[in-house]
Amino acid sequence: MYIRIKYLGQIVEVTGKEEETLEVAGGQVSDLLDVLNSKYYQLKNKDFQIAQNQELVSLETELTGFEIALLPPFAGG
């Protein structure tokens, strides 16, 4: 399946791109994160949440094959 991955904020600095599409065999969000960590080794040092189809998910969530976003912490006021 193909998954579109969106990178936001400081994650863009690590990946050098705002978005990409990757082909994965399925599995859980943690499996995709393993792929991303091996591709972008500095990602392991960043704090972020993961959203799938615009909904925050855990690492154990099954991949659905649409969109993943890596969301760094942000401050508001």
Side-chain angles (χ1 to χ4, degrees), residues 29-76:
V29 170
S30 62
D31 299 321
L32 176 62
L33 193 55
D34 288 343
V35 170
L36 294 175
N37 282 333
S38 65
K39 188 172 181 178
Y40 306 110
Y41 72 94
Q42 293 179 348
L43 198 58
K44 294 178 185 179
N45 301 324
K46 297 294 180 185
D47 184 31
F48 57 88
Q49 292 185 308
I50 301 171
Q52 177 168 248
N53 304 331
Q54 301 180 359
E55 194 172 305
L56 291 177
V57 295
S58 71
L59 294 176
E60 294 80 30
T61 302
E62 291 295 318
L63 292 169
T64 62
F66 183 61
E67 178 184 277
I68 294 286
L70 304 187
L71 309 167
F74 60 92

